Coordinates of all heavy atoms in Angstrom, one line a residue:
M1 N 0.8 -1.1 0.0 CA 0.0 0.0 0.0 C 0.9 1.2 0.0 O 1.8 1.4 0.8 CB -0.9 0.0 1.3 CG -1.8 1.1 1.4 SD -3.1 0.8 2.6 CE -2.3 1.2 4.1
P2 N 0.6 2.2 -0.9 CA 1.5 3.4 -0.9 C 1.3 4.2 0.3 O 0.2 4.3 0.9 CB 1.0 4.2 -2.2 CG -0.3 3.5 -2.6 CD -0.4 2.2 -2.0
Q3 N 2.4 4.9 0.6 CA 2.4 5.8 1.8 C 1.6 7.1 1.4 O 1.8 7.7 0.4 CB 3.8 6.1 2.2 CG 3.9 7.0 3.5 CD 5.3 7.1 4.0 OE1 6.3 6.6 3.3 NE2 5.5 7.9 5.0
T4 N 0.9 7.6 2.4 CA 0.1 8.9 2.2 C 1.2 10.1 2.2 O 2.0 10.1 3.1 CB -0.9 9.1 3.3 OG1 -1.7 7.9 3.3 CG2 -1.6 10.4 3.1
P5 N 1.1 11.0 1.2 CA 2.0 12.1 1.2 C 1.9 12.9 2.5 O 0.8 13.0 3.1 CB 1.5 12.8 0.0 CG 0.8 11.9 -0.9 CD 0.1 10.9 0.0
D6 N 3.0 13.4 2.9 CA 3.0 14.2 4.1 C 2.0 15.4 4.2 O 1.3 15.5 5.2 CB 4.4 14.9 4.4 CG 5.5 13.8 4.8 OD1 5.0 12.8 5.4 OD2 6.6 14.1 4.5
Y7 N 1.8 16.0 3.1 CA 0.8 17.2 3.1 C -0.6 16.8 3.3 O -1.4 17.4 4.0 CB 1.0 18.0 1.9 CG 0.3 17.6 0.6 CD1 -0.9 18.0 0.3 CD2 0.9 16.7 -0.2 CE1 -1.6 17.7 -0.9 CE2 0.3 16.2 -1.3 CZ -0.9 16.7 -1.6 OH -1.6 16.3 -2.8
I8 N -0.9 15.6 2.8 CA -2.3 15.0 3.0 C -2.4 14.6 4.5 O -3.4 14.8 5.2 CB -2.6 13.9 2.0 CG1 -2.8 14.6 0.6 CG2 -3.9 13.2 2.5 CD1 -3.1 13.6 -0.5
R9 N -1.4 13.8 4.9 CA -1.4 13.3 6.3 C -1.5 14.5 7.4 O -2.3 14.4 8.3 CB -0.1 12.5 6.6 CG 0.0 11.9 8.0 CD 1.3 11.2 8.2 NE 2.5 11.9 7.8 CZ 3.0 12.8 8.6 NH1 2.5 13.1 9.7 NH2 4.1 13.5 8.3
I10 N -0.7 15.5 7.1 CA -0.7 16.6 8.1 C -2.1 17.4 8.0 O -2.7 17.7 9.1 CB 0.5 17.5 7.8 CG1 1.8 16.8 8.1 CG2 0.4 18.8 8.6 CD1 3.0 17.5 7.6
S11 N -2.5 17.6 6.8 CA -3.8 18.4 6.7 C -5.0 17.6 7.4 O -5.8 18.1 8.1 CB -4.2 18.8 5.2 OG -4.2 17.7 4.4
D12 N -4.9 16.2 7.2 CA -5.9 15.4 7.8 C -5.8 15.5 9.3 O -6.8 15.4 10.0 CB -5.8 13.9 7.2 CG -6.4 13.7 5.8 OD1 -7.0 14.7 5.3 OD2 -6.1 12.7 5.2
E13 N -4.6 15.5 9.8 CA -4.4 15.6 11.3 C -5.0 16.9 11.8 O -5.6 16.9 12.8 CB -2.9 15.5 11.6 CG -2.7 15.3 13.1 CD -1.3 15.1 13.4 OE1 -0.6 14.3 12.7 OE2 -0.7 15.6 14.4
I14 N -4.8 18.0 11.1 CA -5.4 19.3 11.6 C -6.9 19.2 11.6 O -7.6 19.6 12.5 CB -4.9 20.4 10.6 CG1 -3.3 20.6 10.8 CG2 -5.6 21.7 10.8 CD1 -2.6 21.5 9.8
I15 N -7.5 18.6 10.5 CA -8.9 18.4 10.4 C -9.5 17.6 11.6 O -10.4 17.9 12.3 CB -9.4 17.9 9.1 CG1 -9.2 18.9 8.0 CG2 -10.8 17.5 9.2 CD1 -9.3 18.5 6.5
K16 N -8.6 16.5 11.9 CA -9.0 15.7 13.1 C -8.9 16.5 14.3 O -9.8 16.3 15.3 CB -8.1 14.5 13.1 CG -8.5 13.4 14.1 CD -7.7 12.1 13.9 CE -6.3 12.3 14.0 NZ -5.5 11.0 14.1
D17 N -7.9 17.3 14.5 CA -7.8 18.2 15.7 C -9.1 19.1 15.9 O -9.5 19.3 17.0 CB -6.5 19.1 15.7 CG -5.3 18.3 16.0 OD1 -5.4 17.1 16.3 OD2 -4.2 18.8 15.7
L18 N -9.6 19.5 14.7 CA -10.8 20.4 14.7 C -12.0 19.6 15.2 O -12.8 20.0 16.0 CB -11.1 21.0 13.4 CG -10.1 22.1 12.9 CD1 -10.1 22.1 11.5 CD2 -10.5 23.4 13.6
H19 N -12.2 18.4 14.7 CA -13.3 17.5 15.1 C -13.2 17.1 16.6 O -14.2 17.0 17.2 CB -13.4 16.3 14.2 CG -13.8 16.6 12.8 ND1 -15.0 17.2 12.6 CD2 -13.2 16.4 11.6 CE1 -15.1 17.3 11.3 NE2 -14.1 16.9 10.6
S20 N -12.0 17.0 17.1 CA -11.8 16.6 18.5 C -11.9 17.8 19.5 O -12.0 17.6 20.7 CB -10.4 15.9 18.7 OG -9.4 16.8 18.6
G21 N -11.8 19.0 18.9 CA -11.9 20.2 19.8 C -10.6 20.7 20.2 O -10.5 21.7 21.0
R22 N -9.4 20.1 19.7 CA -8.2 20.7 20.1 C -7.9 22.0 19.6 O -7.3 22.9 20.1 CB -7.1 19.7 19.6 CG -6.9 18.6 20.5 CD -5.7 17.7 20.1 NE -4.4 18.5 20.3 CZ -3.3 18.2 19.8 NH1 -3.2 17.2 18.9 NH2 -2.2 18.8 20.1
V23 N -8.5 22.3 18.4 CA -8.5 23.6 17.8 C -10.0 23.9 17.4 O -10.7 23.0 17.2 CB -7.6 23.8 16.6 CG1 -6.1 23.7 17.0 CG2 -7.9 22.7 15.6
R24 N -10.3 25.2 17.4 CA -11.6 25.7 17.2 C -11.8 26.8 16.0 O -10.7 27.4 15.8 CB -12.2 26.2 18.5 CG -12.5 25.2 19.6 CD -13.0 25.9 20.8 NE -13.5 25.1 21.9 CZ -13.0 24.1 22.4 NH1 -11.8 23.7 22.1 NH2 -13.7 23.4 23.3
P25 N -12.9 26.8 15.5 CA -13.1 27.9 14.5 C -12.7 29.3 15.1 O -13.0 29.6 16.2 CB -14.6 27.9 14.2 CG -15.0 26.4 14.4 CD -14.2 26.1 15.6
G26 N -11.9 30.0 14.3 CA -11.4 31.3 14.7 C -10.0 31.3 15.2 O -9.3 32.2 15.4
D27 N -9.5 30.0 15.6 CA -8.2 29.9 16.1 C -7.2 30.2 15.0 O -7.4 29.9 13.8 CB -7.9 28.5 16.5 CG -8.5 28.2 18.0 OD1 -9.1 29.0 18.5 OD2 -8.4 27.0 18.4
K28 N -6.0 30.8 15.4 CA -5.0 31.2 14.5 C -4.0 30.0 14.4 O -3.6 29.4 15.5 CB -4.2 32.4 14.9 CG -3.2 32.9 14.0 CD -2.5 34.2 14.5 CE -1.4 34.6 13.5 NZ -0.8 35.8 14.1
L29 N -3.7 29.6 13.2 CA -2.6 28.5 13.1 C -1.3 29.1 13.2 O -1.0 30.2 13.0 CB -2.8 27.8 11.7 CG -4.1 27.0 11.5 CD1 -4.1 26.4 10.0 CD2 -4.1 25.8 12.5
P30 N -0.3 28.2 13.7 CA 1.1 28.6 13.8 C 1.6 29.0 12.4 O 1.1 28.6 11.4 CB 1.8 27.4 14.3 CG 0.8 26.6 15.0 CD -0.5 26.8 14.1
S31 N 2.8 29.7 12.5 CA 3.4 30.1 11.2 C 3.9 28.8 10.5 O 4.0 27.8 11.0 CB 4.7 31.0 11.5 OG 5.7 30.2 12.1
I32 N 4.2 29.1 9.2 CA 4.7 27.9 8.3 C 5.9 27.4 9.0 O 6.1 26.1 9.1 CB 4.9 28.3 6.9 CG1 3.5 28.6 6.3 CG2 5.7 27.4 6.2 CD1 3.6 29.2 4.9
A33 N 6.9 28.2 9.4 CA 8.1 27.7 10.0 C 7.9 26.9 11.3 O 8.4 25.9 11.5 CB 9.0 28.8 10.4
D34 N 6.9 27.4 12.1 CA 6.5 26.6 13.4 C 5.9 25.3 13.1 O 6.2 24.2 13.7 CB 5.6 27.5 14.3 CG 6.3 28.6 14.9 OD1 7.6 28.7 14.9 OD2 5.6 29.5 15.4
M35 N 5.0 25.2 12.1 CA 4.4 24.0 11.7 C 5.4 23.0 11.1 O 5.3 21.8 11.3 CB 3.3 24.3 10.7 CG 2.1 24.9 11.3 SD 1.2 23.9 12.4 CE 0.1 23.0 11.3
A36 N 6.3 23.5 10.3 CA 7.4 22.7 9.7 C 8.2 22.0 10.8 O 8.5 20.8 10.7 CB 8.2 23.5 8.7
G37 N 8.5 22.8 11.8 CA 9.3 22.2 13.0 C 8.5 21.2 13.7 O 9.0 20.2 14.1
R38 N 7.2 21.5 14.0 CA 6.3 20.6 14.7 C 6.2 19.2 14.1 O 6.2 18.2 14.7 CB 4.9 21.3 14.8 CG 4.0 20.3 15.5 CD 2.6 21.0 15.6 NE 1.6 20.1 15.8 CZ 0.2 20.3 15.7 NH1 -0.2 21.5 15.3 NH2 -0.6 19.4 15.9
F39 N 6.1 19.2 12.7 CA 5.9 18.0 12.0 C 7.1 17.4 11.4 O 7.1 16.3 10.8 CB 4.7 18.2 10.9 CG 3.4 18.4 11.4 CD1 2.8 19.6 11.5 CD2 2.7 17.3 11.8 CE1 1.5 19.8 12.1 CE2 1.4 17.4 12.4 CZ 0.8 18.7 12.5
G40 N 8.2 18.1 11.5 CA 9.5 17.6 10.9 C 9.5 17.6 9.4 O 10.1 16.6 8.9
V41 N 8.9 18.5 8.7 CA 8.9 18.5 7.3 C 9.4 20.0 6.8 O 9.6 20.8 7.7 CB 7.4 18.3 6.7 CG1 7.0 16.9 7.1 CG2 6.5 19.3 7.2
S42 N 9.5 20.1 5.5 CA 9.9 21.3 5.0 C 8.9 22.4 5.0 O 7.6 22.0 5.0 CB 10.4 21.1 3.6 OG 9.4 20.9 2.7
S43 N 9.2 23.6 4.9 CA 8.2 24.7 4.9 C 7.3 24.6 3.6 O 6.2 24.9 3.5 CB 8.9 26.1 4.9 OG 9.7 26.3 3.9
S44 N 7.9 24.1 2.5 CA 7.1 23.9 1.3 C 6.1 22.8 1.5 O 5.0 23.0 0.8 CB 8.0 23.6 0.0 OG 8.7 22.4 0.3
T45 N 6.3 21.9 2.2 CA 5.2 20.8 2.5 C 4.1 21.5 3.3 O 2.9 21.3 3.0 CB 5.8 19.7 3.4 OG1 6.8 19.1 2.6 CG2 4.7 18.7 3.8
I46 N 4.4 22.4 4.3 CA 3.4 23.1 5.1 C 2.6 24.0 4.2 O 1.3 24.1 4.3 CB 4.0 23.8 6.3 CG1 4.7 22.7 7.3 CG2 2.9 24.6 7.0 CD1 3.7 21.7 7.8
Q47 N 3.3 24.7 3.2 CA 2.6 25.5 2.3 C 1.6 24.7 1.5 O 0.4 25.2 1.3 CB 3.6 26.2 1.3 CG 4.4 27.3 2.0 CD 5.5 27.9 1.1 OE1 5.9 27.3 0.2 NE2 5.9 29.0 1.4
M48 N 2.0 23.5 1.1 CA 1.0 22.6 0.4 C -0.2 22.2 1.3 O -1.4 22.1 0.9 CB 1.7 21.4 -0.1 CG 2.7 21.7 -1.3 SD 3.7 20.3 -1.8 CE 2.5 19.0 -2.1
V49 N 0.1 22.0 2.6 CA -1.0 21.7 3.6 C -1.9 22.9 3.7 O -3.1 22.7 3.5 CB -0.4 21.5 5.0 CG1 -1.4 21.5 6.1 CG2 0.5 20.2 5.1
Y50 N -1.4 24.0 3.7 CA -2.3 25.2 3.8 C -3.1 25.5 2.6 O -4.2 25.9 2.5 CB -1.5 26.5 4.2 CG -1.1 26.5 5.7 CD1 -0.2 27.5 6.2 CD2 -1.5 25.6 6.6 CE1 0.2 27.5 7.5 CE2 -1.2 25.6 8.0 CZ -0.4 26.6 8.3 OH -0.1 26.6 9.7
V51 N -2.4 25.2 1.4 CA -3.2 25.4 0.1 C -4.3 24.4 0.1 O -5.5 24.7 -0.3 CB -2.2 25.1 -1.1 CG1 -3.0 24.8 -2.4 CG2 -1.3 26.3 -1.2
R52 N -4.1 23.1 0.4 CA -5.2 22.1 0.5 C -6.3 22.5 1.4 O -7.5 22.4 1.1 CB -4.5 20.8 0.9 CG -5.7 19.7 0.9 CD -5.0 18.3 1.2 NE -6.0 17.3 1.0 CZ -6.5 16.5 2.0 NH1 -5.9 16.6 3.3 NH2 -7.4 15.6 1.8
L53 N -5.9 22.9 2.7 CA -6.9 23.3 3.6 C -7.7 24.6 3.2 O -9.0 24.7 3.4 CB -6.2 23.6 5.0 CG -5.8 22.4 5.7 CD1 -5.0 22.7 7.1 CD2 -6.8 21.3 6.0
E54 N -7.0 25.4 2.5 CA -7.7 26.7 2.0 C -8.7 26.2 0.9 O -9.8 26.8 0.8 CB -6.7 27.6 1.5 CG -7.2 29.0 1.2 CD -6.2 30.1 0.9 OE1 -5.2 29.7 0.4 OE2 -6.4 31.3 1.2
A55 N -8.3 25.3 -0.1 CA -9.1 24.8 -1.1 C -10.4 24.2 -0.5 O -11.5 24.3 -1.1 CB -8.5 23.9 -2.0
L56 N -10.3 23.5 0.6 CA -11.4 22.9 1.3 C -12.1 23.8 2.1 O -13.1 23.5 2.8 CB -10.9 21.7 2.1 CG -10.3 20.5 1.4 CD1 -9.7 19.6 2.3 CD2 -11.4 19.9 0.4
R57 N -11.7 25.1 2.2 CA -12.3 26.1 3.0 C -12.2 25.9 4.5 O -13.0 26.4 5.3 CB -13.7 26.4 2.6 CG -13.8 26.9 1.1 CD -15.2 27.3 0.8 NE -15.3 27.6 -0.6 CZ -16.4 27.6 -1.3 NH1 -17.5 27.4 -0.7 NH2 -16.4 28.0 -2.5
V58 N -11.2 25.1 4.9 CA -11.0 24.8 6.3 C -10.3 26.0 7.0 O -10.5 26.2 8.2 CB -10.2 23.5 6.5 CG1 -9.8 23.3 8.0 CG2 -11.1 22.3 6.0
I59 N -9.5 26.7 6.2 CA -8.7 27.9 6.8 C -9.0 29.1 5.8 O -9.4 28.8 4.7 CB -7.2 27.6 6.8 CG1 -6.6 27.3 5.5 CG2 -6.9 26.5 7.9 CD1 -5.1 27.3 5.4
R60 N -8.7 30.2 6.4 CA -8.8 31.5 5.6 C -7.5 32.3 6.0 O -7.2 32.4 7.2 CB -10.1 32.3 5.9 CG -10.0 33.6 5.2 CD -11.3 34.3 5.4 NE -12.3 33.7 4.4 CZ -13.5 33.3 4.8 NH1 -14.0 33.5 5.9 NH2 -14.3 32.7 3.8
R61 N -6.9 32.7 4.9 CA -5.7 33.6 5.2 C -6.1 35.1 5.3 O -6.9 35.5 4.5 CB -4.7 33.4 4.1 CG -4.1 32.1 3.9 CD -3.2 32.1 2.5 NE -3.0 30.7 2.2 CZ -1.8 30.1 2.3 NH1 -0.8 30.8 2.7 NH2 -1.6 28.9 1.9
R62 N -5.6 35.8 6.3 CA -6.0 37.2 6.4 C -4.7 37.9 6.3 O -3.7 37.8 7.2 CB -6.6 37.4 7.8 CG -8.0 36.8 7.9 CD -8.7 37.3 9.1 NE -9.9 36.5 9.2 CZ -10.5 36.2 10.5 NH1 -9.9 36.6 11.5 NH2 -11.6 35.5 10.5
Q63 N -4.5 38.7 5.3 CA -3.3 39.4 5.0 C -2.8 40.2 6.2 O -3.5 41.0 6.7 CB -3.5 40.4 3.8 CG -2.2 41.1 3.4 CD -1.3 40.1 2.6 OE1 -1.7 39.2 2.0 NE2 0.0 40.5 2.8
G64 N -1.5 40.0 6.6 CA -1.0 40.7 7.7 C -1.4 40.2 9.1 O -0.9 40.8 10.1
K65 N -2.3 39.3 9.1 CA -2.8 38.8 10.4 C -2.6 37.3 10.7 O -2.4 36.9 11.8 CB -4.4 39.1 10.5 CG -4.7 40.6 10.5 CD -6.1 40.8 10.9 CE -6.6 42.2 10.8 NZ -5.9 43.2 11.5
G66 N -2.6 36.5 9.7 CA -2.3 35.0 9.9 C -3.3 34.2 9.1 O -4.1 34.6 8.3
I67 N -3.2 32.9 9.6 CA -4.1 31.9 9.0 C -5.1 31.4 10.1 O -4.6 31.0 11.1 CB -3.3 30.7 8.3 CG1 -2.4 31.3 7.3 CG2 -4.1 29.6 7.8 CD1 -1.4 30.4 6.8
F68 N -6.3 31.4 9.8 CA -7.4 31.1 10.8 C -8.2 30.0 10.4 O -8.6 29.8 9.2 CB -8.2 32.4 11.0 CG -7.4 33.5 11.6 CD1 -6.8 34.3 10.9 CD2 -7.3 33.6 13.0 CE1 -5.9 35.4 11.4 CE2 -6.6 34.7 13.5 CZ -5.9 35.6 12.7
I69 N -8.7 29.2 11.3 CA -9.7 28.2 11.1 C -11.1 28.7 10.8 O -11.4 29.7 11.5 CB -9.7 27.2 12.3 CG1 -8.4 26.6 12.7 CG2 -10.8 26.1 12.1 CD1 -7.8 25.7 11.7
T70 N -11.8 28.1 9.9 CA -13.1 28.7 9.6 C -14.2 27.8 10.3 O -13.9 26.8 10.8 CB -13.4 28.7 8.1 OG1 -13.2 27.4 7.6 CG2 -12.4 29.6 7.4
D71 N -15.4 28.2 10.2 CA -16.5 27.5 10.7 C -16.7 26.2 9.8 O -16.9 26.3 8.6 CB -17.8 28.3 10.6 CG -19.0 27.6 11.2 OD1 -19.1 26.4 11.3 OD2 -19.9 28.4 11.5
P72 N -16.9 25.0 10.4 CA -17.0 23.7 9.7 C -18.2 23.8 8.7 O -18.3 23.1 7.7 CB -17.1 22.7 10.7 CG -16.4 23.2 11.9 CD -16.6 24.7 11.8
A73 N -19.2 24.6 9.0 CA -20.3 24.7 8.1 C -20.1 25.2 6.7 O -20.8 25.0 5.8 CB -21.5 25.5 8.7
T74 N -19.0 26.0 6.6 CA -18.6 26.6 5.3 C -17.6 25.6 4.6 O -17.2 25.9 3.5 CB -17.8 27.9 5.6 OG1 -16.6 27.7 6.2 CG2 -18.8 28.8 6.3
W75 N -17.2 24.5 5.2 CA -16.2 23.6 4.5 C -16.8 22.9 3.3 O -17.9 22.5 3.3 CB -15.6 22.6 5.5 CG -14.9 23.2 6.6 CD1 -14.6 24.4 7.0 CD2 -14.4 22.3 7.7 NE1 -14.0 24.4 8.1 CE2 -13.8 23.3 8.6 CE3 -14.4 21.0 7.9 CZ2 -13.2 22.8 9.9 CZ3 -13.8 20.5 9.1 CH2 -13.2 21.4 10.0
M76 N -16.0 22.8 2.3 CA -16.3 21.9 1.2 C -15.9 20.5 1.6 O -14.9 20.2 2.2 CB -15.4 22.3 0.0 CG -15.8 23.6 -0.6 SD -14.9 24.1 -2.1 CE -15.4 22.7 -3.2
R77 N -16.7 19.6 1.1 CA -16.5 18.2 1.5 C -15.8 17.6 0.2 O -16.1 17.8 -0.9 CB -17.8 17.4 1.7 CG -18.7 18.0 2.7 CD -18.0 17.9 4.1 NE -18.8 18.4 5.2 CZ -18.5 19.3 6.1 NH1 -17.3 19.8 6.0 NH2 -19.3 19.7 7.0
E78 N -14.8 16.6 0.7 CA -14.2 15.9 -0.5 C -15.2 14.9 -1.0 O -16.0 14.3 -0.3 CB -12.9 15.2 0.1 CG -11.8 16.2 0.4 CD -10.6 15.3 0.9 OE1 -10.6 14.8 1.9 OE2 -9.6 15.3 0.1
P79 N -15.0 14.7 -2.4 CA -15.9 13.7 -3.0 C -15.7 12.3 -2.4 O -14.6 12.0 -2.0 CB -15.7 13.8 -4.5 CG -14.4 14.6 -4.6 CD -14.2 15.3 -3.3

């Protein structure tokens, strides 16, 4: 069985943290550098995580303020 790419595994973990209540809508996510250190991956991998989460509407980037979790009611569901 092929290994799940890091960016999918990490974004799925963030979504699981949301469902478990570890993080909540409105929470600010750590910087790309902090997330890369936490997960032991490159910053480009975390950028891919954030692109995926943004496409699913799980996060929203606010210029100059950071990256924030959105309300689950606004999320797109994967097919």
Side-chain angles (χ1 to χ4, degrees):
M1 178 162 87
Q3 184 176 355
T4 303
D6 286 337
Y7 80 97
I8 291 176
R9 178 182 55 78
I10 294 166
S11 57
D12 287 349
E13 187 172 325
I14 292 168
I15 291 170
K16 187 167 57 173
D17 285 348
L18 286 158
H19 288 299
S20 72
R22 282 187 68 197
V23 291
R24 291 179 164 54
D27 284 356
K28 183 178 177 180
L29 289 178
S31 70
I32 289 173
D34 288 346
M35 289 291 275
R38 174 181 163 194
F39 287 102
V41 296
S42 69
S43 59
S44 62
T45 298
I46 298 301
Q47 288 173 339
M48 289 172 54
V49 168
Y50 285 174
V51 165
R52 179 173 187 246
L53 291 175
E54 193 169 28
L56 293 172
R57 298 185 184 161
V58 173
I59 62 169
R60 173 169 288 132
R61 296 173 197 251
R62 294 189 188 149
Q63 186 68 32
K65 297 191 188 290
I67 300 171
F68 296 85
I69 301 295
T70 61
D71 183 338
T74 67
W75 297 359
M76 292 181 63
R77 305 292 186 234
E78 288 186 286

